[in-house]
Amino acid sequence: MGRSNRKRRGGRVQPRRNGPPVERRPVLDEVEFGGQAWAARQVGGNDSGRAYLCPGCLQELPATTPHTVAWPTAGMHGVENRRHWHTTCWNARDRRRPGEAWA
């Protein structure tokens, strides 16, 4: 018999509490770019009210837009060394020269 997709009486379905807690870590990609090793991860949009400058196209990148954050893995691990890229700009980084916002 098929599964019913009707809502249950309380509205939401309660999460299962029997299993171990699931640890959620961001997926990091390690890439070689510009003679350095970089770590990159996909970030969903958040409502922090900030805007970043994409180093690939030098256009404003609102924090509400899903994007890619990249930082060098060797030496400079500080927050100030992270760069927020449009995902399409990050994917095309080998075909385009970075602008003045580049680290």
Side-chain angles (χ1 to χ4, degrees):
M1 177 144 236
R3 180 178 163 182
S4 174
N5 290 326
R6 288 184 284 153
K7 288 186 179 179
R8 296 195 175 138
R9 278 193 201 196
R12 295 182 7 191
V13 176
Q14 296 297 320
R16 294 172 59 190
R17 299 184 192 268
N18 297 347
V22 177
E23 184 176 333
R24 296 183 188 227
R25 288 189 173 172
V27 177
L28 294 178
D29 293 326
E30 296 242 355
V31 295
E32 183 73 25
F33 177 58
Q36 293 185 33
W38 289 78
R41 72 178 167 133
Q42 299 293 318
V43 178
N46 62 29
D47 197 14
S48 67
R50 297 191 60 183
Y52 306 101
L53 183 65
C54 174
C57 65
L58 296 178
Q59 299 293 316
E60 185 176 288
L61 173 62
T64 56
T65 305
H67 59 280
T68 301
V69 179
W71 62 93
T73 58
M76 304 183 298
H77 291 290
V79 174
E80 64 276 359
N81 294 311
R82 291 184 302 188
R83 298 293 178 255
H84 296 255
W85 293 69
H86 291 105
T87 301
T88 54
C89 293
W90 175 252
N91 292 337
R93 67 189 176 277
D94 293 330
R95 296 187 302 267
R96 70 170 40 169
R97 184 176 168 86
E100 296 172 10
W102 182 247

